Amino acid sequence: MLSNLNPSMKTKSKIFSTAFFLSVAFFSAQNGNVTKHFLDLDGTSTNIKIQPTMYGIFFEDINFGADGGIYAELIKNRSFEFDEPLMGWKQQNTKTLSPNLDSGLLTIYSDDSKTNKNYARITVYNDKNYVLENEGFRGIGLHQGEKYDFSFYLDNISGNISAVNTSLVDENGKVISAVSTISKGGGWQKYNLVFVPDSTVEKAKLQLTFTGKGVVNMDMISLFPQDTWKGRKGGMRKDLVQKLYDLKPGFLRFPGGCIVEGRTLAERYQWKKTLGNVADREYLINKWSSGFAHRLTPDYYQSFGLGFYEYFQLSEDLGAEPLPILSCGIACQFNTAELVHLDELNPYVQDALDLIEFANGDINTKWGKIRAEMGHPKPFNMKYIGVGNEQWGEDYIERYKIFEKAIHDKYPDIQIISGSGPSPDGEFFDYGWKELKKLNAQIVDEHYYNSPEWFTKNAGRYDAYDRSGPKVFAGEYAAQSVGVVKPDNKNNWQTALSEAAFMTGLERNADVVTMTSYAPLFAHADGWQWTPDLIWFNNLQSYATPNYYVQKLFSNNKGTDLIKISENGIAVKGQNELFASAVLDRKKGETIIKIVNTDSQEKSIEINPKNIKLGSKLTKTTLTASQLSAENNFQTENIKPLEENSVIKKVKFSVQIPANSFVVLKIK
């Protein structure tokens, strides 16, 4: 129609149309009507595949994530290996400046020829009065009627000690379960008993007493629930692994994180020391024991009961690709930044080559044989390995070059993860990317901890990335409600919603971004160092944060092929506070649309399908909260997905997107 008008008339017509539209919008708002938006869903192939690794899990032993967390051991410092060997243990009736003839005493003995060198020598003078107690990890969580395997090693040295008596007591000292065993002859022997508590207690303690007088040696005093993940003896905490399994992760990154680097090189994570018999693994102080002044945790150590074999096994359980990260010869640059000289880097490089052999070698290789002896003759089929965590600068690049050449000379099919440092921008970030591009790096790890506003503003971050350059691993990210490294950060709905908005941009750019993971993963309610975190737990239970449910909705609905969704021909990345992405799942015959509304007003969306035939069954999953400050907690998960099913009767269809919500539309 306008084509028949002269230029001046066209201009007047446009002004009138704009004024009319604004008037309608104004009166609609005044009348409380919902603004309508028209989104085009174009099924034309983009030739962009959603990688199976698109959404994964980042694991680090921070916030008591391993010891005291997913690793189900309930006794802290079970073999007296902490730098202060009696940390976690208490002798109620033993005095320092006394011969303790009315009770007894414990002395630490060491055998320096062993990796797990310490053991306790206990002298009992009065068996009615000597008590040895362990406090657990901020207490010992026990469930009524469940069975707990208790074990220890004992060497009866002298005297007439005839029995070891063990009790689990509640916060008030009341016995809730007790077991006793006859002491056998001399020499180290292992004893196995079972507790069945008669009540549920969050912060129990373990108490040991003896019948008779004399001297015994004890070591590896251990307590595990029988009901672990997959029922494995000495295994993992079932409820926590279940939450990981429910994410349907594409990969599991381990063991971190800054913990890979260590505060010093001597305190770096060394995977070879985490293999073999659990009782022979060498303890190491955790980097996060003194990482933050606001949460000093001097009793935070790594027992490595959860070691590299167990990580690979967990990856297999979860159906996830294992993604180990190794030290590149640089200690944490936020701490000492200690460097290995280039001419002394070979042992570090060899560790990487040996790890690939451990994971993938047949049973006739040195490290493949060790894997087989641990119980897994079949290779783990590892495809990825990370060189360094979040190092930066020239020192990193020159070390990365050496690793890359050695790995690809021997294992050309292994995908190497490199790093761009701890920040999403700045001089070191730009330098890292420039150099890694020159080296034809395969996948570059980016980290971003920032405000919710940063995440919504950066939903288009990857739209302009070089399509011919390295792929991106969004390896660590989480919106910070207060600020980075602030103890008051919350896992509230505002942070989760902003992450959902950002993730639509990750998905929309799946030709560049091939791996993503939130961090950190776990936090003990009484033992955390860093917030926010994806899953919170105490000694008895756990809960999923709103951020967890955002991750779950993306990972459970990742699809196989990217398609376009737009408004007025433009990707939906924040206009009118709307964000969207869309995929096909060719395996399931589904079309999946993800829409985020960060507006305080509800929006009506009309979907106009083009070049695509949709099914008629619509499942709408909504994640929202009444307030941006809302959180989940141990009592209730108010913020969780709600599903409703309906039938699409026309080609075009409309849906309501609530204020401040994340909605997944699945059409089949």
Side-chain angles (χ1 to χ4, degrees):
M1 190 75 172
L2 287 174
S3 62
N4 297 322
L5 301 176
N6 63 44
S8 62
M9 289 295 289
K10 286 183 181 180
T11 301
K12 289 178 181 178
S13 180
K14 286 181 179 177
I15 292 172
F16 173 79
S17 297
T18 302
F20 177 77
F21 173 78
L22 291 174
S23 298
V24 170
F26 174 78
F27 285 113
S28 294
Q30 293 296 304
N31 293 324
N33 293 335
V34 178
T35 307
K36 192 149 192 171
H37 294 269
F38 301 89
L39 302 187
D40 292 319
L41 179 70
D42 190 347
T44 305
S45 175
T46 62
N47 294 314
I48 297 171
K49 294 289 183 182
I50 305 294
Q51 297 302 313
T53 56
M54 186 65 183
Y55 303 109
I57 291 171
F58 168 98
F59 182 89
E60 180 167 16
D61 190 1
I62 188 172
N63 306 316
F64 279 31
D67 289 279
I70 195 171
Y71 182 53
E73 173 66 79
L74 298 172
I75 302 299
K76 183 167 68 181
N77 193 14
R78 62 187 175 188
S79 56
F80 309 97
E81 296 296 323
F82 287 14
D83 290 349
E84 293 183 24
L86 288 183
M87 187 175 281
W89 295 94
K90 181 180 179 182
Q91 300 172 90
Q92 291 184 346
N93 302 318
T94 299
K95 302 177 181 63
T96 302
L97 295 175
S98 167
N100 292 294
L101 299 179
D102 62 340
S103 59
L105 56 94
L106 183 155
T107 306
I108 295 297
Y109 275 55
S110 295
D111 182 348
D112 291 332
S113 68
K114 296 182 178 179
T115 50
N116 197 325
K117 63 183 187 299
N118 290 348
Y119 59 93
R121 173 154 292 184
I122 300 169
T123 302
V124 179
Y125 293 116
N126 181 351
D127 60 359
K128 300 292 190 294
N129 214 18
Y130 181 75
V131 180
L132 178 62
E133 181 177 273
N134 188 274
E135 66 187 18
F137 297 92
R138 305 298 186 271
I140 298 173
L142 301 168
H143 293 274
Q144 181 180 3
E146 295 290 324
K147 294 181 179 179
Y148 294 82
D149 289 328
F150 178 62
S151 64
F152 58 88
Y153 286 86
L154 184 137
D155 180 9
N156 204 333
I157 300 297
S158 63
N160 63 356
I161 292 179
S162 60
V164 180
N165 314 302
T166 317
S167 301
L168 293 169
V169 301
D170 66 13
E171 295 95 326
N172 300 314
K174 178 188 174 185
V175 175
I176 58 172
S177 187
V179 291
S180 183
T181 184
I182 301 299
S183 172
K184 302 171 188 174
W188 284 106
Q189 298 187 54
K190 187 176 183 180
Y191 295 77
N192 296 285
L193 301 161
V194 177
F195 284 109
V196 184
D198 62 17
S199 57
T200 296
V201 178
E202 182 182 350
K203 294 179 182 288
K205 294 178 181 179
L206 175 88
Q207 291 184 345
L208 283 165
T209 63
F210 301 86
T211 301
K213 300 176 183 179
V215 179
V216 295
N217 293 333
M218 292 193 76
D219 202 2
M220 279 298 289
I221 302 170
S222 175
L223 181 67
F224 273 92
Q226 286 189 4
D227 189 20
T228 58
W229 174 255
K230 287 187 173 287
R232 294 191 181 113
K233 293 280 189 183
M236 297 192 207
R237 185 168 149 177
K238 191 175 180 180
D239 64 319
L240 297 184
V241 181
Q242 186 66 51
K243 282 184 168 59
L244 304 188
Y245 184 83
D246 291 344
L247 287 173
K248 298 182 180 177
F251 65 88
L252 174 66
R253 171 182 174 161
F254 57 88
C258 294
I259 206 168
V260 170
E261 309 155 38
R263 295 176 299 184
T264 65
L265 289 173
E267 293 180 1
R268 73 186 187 280
Y269 197 105
Q270 299 184 59
W271 70 269
K272 291 175 181 175
K273 292 186 176 183
T274 75
L275 303 182
N277 185 351
V278 170
D280 296 329
R281 298 180 189 178
E282 182 179 354
Y283 273 60
L284 180 67
I285 193 167
N286 193 299
K287 177 193 177 334
W288 301 115
S289 62
S290 59
F292 303 110
H294 62 262
R295 296 288 292 188
L296 294 175
T297 318
D299 61 336
Y300 198 2
Y301 280 72
Q302 300 170 83
S303 71
F304 298 113
L306 175 57
F308 258 45
Y309 176 83
E310 288 78 17
Y311 282 125
F312 277 109
Q313 189 178 52
L314 177 60
S315 300
E316 191 172 69
D317 289 349
L318 299 176
E321 297 288 350
L323 173 52
I325 310 292
L326 298 185
S327 168
C328 65
I330 306 177
C332 183
Q333 288 167 275
F334 289 109
N335 298 144
T336 64
E338 183 184 357
L339 285 171
V340 172
H341 291 293
L342 293 180
D343 57 3
E344 297 175 352
L345 191 61
N346 186 61
Y348 292 75
V349 177
Q350 193 61 49
D351 274 352
L353 298 176
D354 290 344
L355 178 61
I356 298 170
E357 184 176 286
F358 174 77
N360 296 350
D362 65 42
I363 61 174
N364 297 314
T365 61
K366 175 184 175 181
W367 291 99
K369 181 181 178 183
I370 291 172
R371 181 198 67 240
E373 289 170 346
M374 292 186 71
H376 202 285
K378 184 180 177 182
F380 285 113
N381 192 27
M382 183 179 84
K383 301 180 181 70
Y384 303 89
I385 193 168
V387 175
N389 171 50
E390 57 180 16
Q391 273 70 43
W392 62 84
E394 293 180 21
D395 292 326
Y396 173 65
I397 295 298
E398 60 185 1
R399 283 159 179 76
Y400 169 78
K401 289 179 185 177
I402 296 170
F403 273 88
E404 191 277 332
K405 184 177 187 310
I407 292 170
H408 279 158
D409 279 354
K410 190 169 184 180
Y411 300 105
D413 294 333
I414 291 289
Q415 295 271 301
I416 300 177
I417 311 293
S418 54
S420 59
S423 304
D425 48 35
E427 291 181 19
F428 283 123
F429 177 85
D430 294 338
Y431 169 80
W433 261 101
K434 182 184 71 172
E435 295 301 316
L436 290 167
K437 275 187 178 182
K438 288 180 188 176
L439 297 170
N440 294 315
Q442 293 168 298
I443 305 173
V444 178
D445 184 13
E446 294 189 357
H447 295 178
Y448 11 81
Y449 297 104
N450 225 311
S451 66
E453 292 75 20
W454 183 94
F455 279 90
T456 52
K457 287 177 182 176
N458 278 270
R461 174 182 176 91
Y462 295 105
D463 293 354
Y465 264 51
D466 181 2
R467 263 50 195 169
S468 63
K471 303 301 183 185
V472 172
F473 175 20
E476 293 185 37
Y477 65 88
Q480 315 285 292
S481 65
V482 178
V484 184
V485 198
K486 300 295 184 183
D488 295 328
N489 281 325
K490 305 296 183 185
N491 283 103
N492 61 30
W493 177 233
Q494 183 182 23
T495 63
L497 186 65
S498 69
E499 289 155 9
F502 181 72
M503 290 175 75
T504 62
L506 300 181
E507 188 165 270
R508 189 177 62 253
N509 288 281
D511 55 332
V512 171
V513 183
T514 59
M515 309 176 89
T516 67
S517 52
Y518 182 103
L521 180 64
F522 287 125
H524 191 301
D526 297 321
W528 58 269
Q529 292 84 50
W530 172 288
T531 59
D533 306 284
L534 202 63
I535 299 166
W536 285 80
F537 65 92
N538 58 28
N539 291 340
L540 292 177
Q541 59 187 130
S542 57
Y543 72 86
T545 61
N547 316 72
Y548 171 92
Y549 284 118
V550 165
Q551 294 292 320
K552 184 178 179 181
L553 284 175
F554 272 90
S555 62
N556 281 216
N557 296 285
K558 61 175 172 282
T560 59
D561 297 76
L562 184 74
I563 56 175
K564 290 182 179 180
I565 187 166
S566 60
E567 184 175 23
N568 299 320
I570 301 171
V572 187
K573 52 183 178 180
Q575 315 92 292
N576 304 303
E577 299 187 79
L578 280 176
F579 305 79
S581 61
V583 296
L584 300 178
D585 191 322
R586 295 197 184 279
K587 295 177 182 177
K588 298 180 180 178
E590 296 172 343
T591 302
I592 304 168
I593 306 169
K594 303 177 182 78
I595 302 175
V596 177
N597 177 16
T598 59
D599 198 349
S600 58
Q601 300 296 318
E602 182 184 54
K603 295 183 188 296
S604 179
I605 305 292
E606 182 176 288
I607 304 293
N608 178 27
K610 298 178 178 179
N611 306 310
I612 187 172
K613 186 176 181 180
L614 298 179
S616 60
K617 296 178 181 178
L618 173 63
T619 300
K620 178 184 179 184
T621 304
T622 303
L623 188 63
T624 190
S626 58
Q627 295 179 314
L628 289 173
S629 60
E631 302 172 64
N632 289 343
N633 54 50
F634 285 109
Q635 285 69 49
T636 181
E637 292 183 4
N638 289 316
I639 308 170
K640 59 184 178 182
L642 297 176
E643 278 191 10
E644 53 184 306
N645 297 307
S646 60
V647 176
I648 298 173
K649 296 180 179 178
K650 298 180 180 179
V651 175
K652 295 181 182 180
F653 65 95
S654 296
V655 290
Q656 303 306 111
I657 309 298
N660 293 318
S661 70
F662 171 33
V663 172
V664 177
L665 305 174
K666 187 183 296 183
I667 307 145
K668 189 169 185 175

